[in-house]
Each structure stands twice: as C-alpha cells, then as structure tokens.
Amino acid sequence: MMNKISLNKISADKEANLLVCSSLVNSSAKKGLAKRIIPCLDVKDGQTVKGTNFVNLRNAGNPVALGKAYSDAGADELVYLDITASSEGRKTFTEVVTRVAQTINIPFTVGGGINDIADVERLLCAGADKVSVNSAALRRPELIDDIAGRFGSQVCVCAIDAKHEDGRWTCYLNGGRVSTGRDLFDWAHEAEDRGAGEILFTSMNHDGVKQGYANEALALLADILGIPIIASGGAGRPEHFKEAFTTGKADAALAASVFHFGEINITELKQYLYDEGINVRL
C-alpha cells in the first residue's frame, strides 16, 4: 500500500485544488461564502447516462468532453459517479479519472466502487480532488474514519441516496437498489462525526423529475450539521437552484440532465443567481 508521500504524484494544480476544497469545508458556515454549481456525470460503460428516479437511463455523451465543456462554462466543480460499480462489484474507472484530470482545471469528485484506502489512493494519484463514498460507507462506516484520518476531511464526501417513504427518509445503497432502513438524518450526523467533509444528499423521489429539490430535508440537514450540504435530485429550472440555496440552505447544488441536454446554461444560471442576490462566482 502506498504511503502519504505517494500523493506527491498529484499535480501542483491538484494540490492547490485540495487546499481550496479544505478552505471551503472549514469555512462553510461563514456568511457570504459563494454557492457552488456542480454538474454530475453518471457514468456507465464509459458513457454519461441519465435517468428518472434512478432508472430508465439514456445516453448523454462522452464524460471527458462534457467535463471540459462544463469547466469552460464556469462550473465550480464536477462529480463523476460510476453508477454500477458497487452493484456489479467493479472498481472505479481510473483511466477516465486520469483523462478528466488532464483535461479540466476545476476540482472534481469521483465515486462508485470505493471500498478501501487503496481505492482512494489510486484515484487521488490519478488526479481526483475528492472521493465520494456511499454504499461502502453504509456497510462499513469506519471507512469514513479511515479516509479522513489518512487524507483529511476535505477529501471525503459522504453521498447519501434517500427515499421519503412511510413518513421518513430512508437511506439506500447500490445505486438506490437496496434499502438499508437507516434514517437519513441519523446517518448524515454519524458521517459528520466520523470525519466526512461534505454530505451529498440525493432525493430519490425528486431525481430526474425536475420539480425542484427536497428543500425541507435539505434545510433540516443544514440545521443539524456543521459541514457543507450538496443538494441533488430535482433541478428543472433556474428557480430551483435559488430555492435550494435559500429555502434549502444548501452550500452547493448538483444537477445532471438539465445541463447534459442543454435545458439550462451554466453561465446564464450563475448570472441569474447573482442577479437574485445569491453569492456565486461569475
């Protein structure tokens, strides 16, 4: 297993990005911190895909080319998720990560099939700035402790896929295929206690429906946690991003299909948010 010195393989630009990410995490509660717009690229068999409520997937294009386009358009970060890695028992796509790192100049997070420290080391050395853990962390929560202890909390994003059913939010794993019975808010609080630097919350009920984010749940998460919350699932109009930042109290908003299929332009979205009094980087 590689030691900490192996992280020197990451480029100087990537190391600088890690410092930026650390600053974002440590300063999340500061008034006026810029809100982030994050395109998400779900990758299956080497192509970007997008569906509705985690099913009915359709092709959205090459993940490296899309990432470059979003970087050029002013996206603050990117998230790449190998959406079948956990359910099929495969490792995350290191080659794609390397090509993305060589192509874009903004921070990006990689998730899917990350089960141990060796996976994290491999992805960071390939050029990723952060890793996202979901299924593996639910099965073995100590993984969050391991990542935060080895690389720092700024590297560890805890992704949570949850569905509102029977009056409560329940966490799912394996790309939304298996219910854990765990409560969203309890798990998010534990993840923070174990050292996660951010929570990426995806509402399975809202995913791909384009009727807005799960703002009530987002606001509750923001109230009980001290780390940044990334909203995911439900973006359909620019107003939905504004609501996620105001009503939902989110620190960042993630979306996929509205960006992939040209329904919302990132440059225009950020200008709209700025005009509405939301602090974004133009």
Side-chain angles (χ1 to χ4, degrees):
M1 182 176 292
M2 291 178 287
N3 55 33
K4 289 184 179 180
I5 198 69
S6 65
L7 291 180
N8 290 330
K9 296 179 182 178
I10 304 174
S11 69
D13 286 344
K14 289 299 174 181
E15 290 175 348
N17 284 337
L18 283 172
L19 292 175
V20 171
C21 294
S22 177
S23 176
L24 288 171
V25 172
N26 294 331
S27 305
S28 63
K30 289 185 179 179
K31 193 172 183 179
L33 183 68
K35 304 295 186 179
R36 290 170 285 153
I37 300 299
I38 307 177
C40 179
L41 298 92
D42 294 340
V43 178
K44 182 178 187 291
D45 300 326
Q47 291 294 309
T48 308
V49 297
K50 185 58 188 147
T52 302
N53 302 129
F54 284 38
V55 296
N56 300 321
L57 302 178
R58 55 175 172 154
N59 194 308
N62 180 280
V64 179
L66 276 175
K68 177 66 163 58
Y70 293 144
S71 177
D72 292 344
D76 296 293
E77 298 180 22
L78 298 176
V79 170
Y80 283 88
L81 300 176
D82 188 340
I83 61 172
T84 57
S86 293
S87 64
E88 296 177 5
R90 295 183 288 104
K91 297 296 183 182
T92 307
F93 44 155
T94 310
E95 182 182 347
V96 172
V97 173
T98 300
R99 288 191 287 130
V100 169
Q102 294 169 344
T103 304
I104 69 172
N105 58 6
I106 58 174
F108 71 100
T109 300
V110 176
I114 297 172
N115 296 303
D116 52 39
I117 287 294
D119 291 327
V120 179
E121 289 177 329
R122 171 171 48 85
L123 293 167
L124 293 179
C125 289
D129 297 278
K130 296 182 276 189
V131 296
S132 171
V133 291
N134 188 337
S135 299
L138 277 163
R139 293 192 181 98
R140 189 174 73 84
E142 295 81 7
L143 178 61
I144 296 174
D145 303 75
D146 295 343
I147 296 171
R150 183 70 175 271
F151 306 108
S153 292
Q154 77 281 356
V155 167
C156 184
V157 178
C158 182
I160 305 176
D161 300 329
K163 181 185 291 186
H164 192 258
E165 50 192 0
D166 299 324
R168 64 190 293 263
W169 285 94
T170 304
C171 299
Y172 276 69
L173 48 73
N174 284 16
R177 295 171 179 82
V178 180
S179 174
T180 66
R182 289 216 60 175
D183 176 79
L184 162 65
F185 305 102
D186 288 345
W187 171 232
H189 196 279
E190 179 179 343
E192 178 184 31
D193 287 345
R194 289 183 177 275
E198 294 181 279
I199 298 294
L200 168 54
F201 162 52
T202 300
S203 166
M204 295 174 61
N205 305 79
H206 295 72
D207 179 69
V209 180
K210 301 180 183 179
Q211 297 298 310
Y213 294 92
N215 292 317
E216 183 177 345
L218 284 167
L220 286 172
L221 284 170
D223 287 342
I224 66 172
L225 302 179
I227 57 177
I229 309 297
I230 304 171
S232 172
R237 303 192 308 271
E239 293 82 1
H240 294 154
F241 291 85
K242 176 186 174 182
E243 291 163 1
F245 293 139
T246 54
T247 305
K249 305 179 185 178
D251 299 274
L254 178 148
S257 61
V258 292
F259 296 142
H260 299 340
F261 302 115
E263 297 167 44
I264 294 179
N265 176 279
I266 292 176
T267 304
E268 294 173 357
L269 169 63
K270 296 185 83 171
Q271 185 63 56
Y272 160 79
L273 292 170
Y274 181 84
D275 292 341
E276 290 293 312
I278 305 298
N279 185 9
V280 294
R281 299 180 185 88
L282 295 179

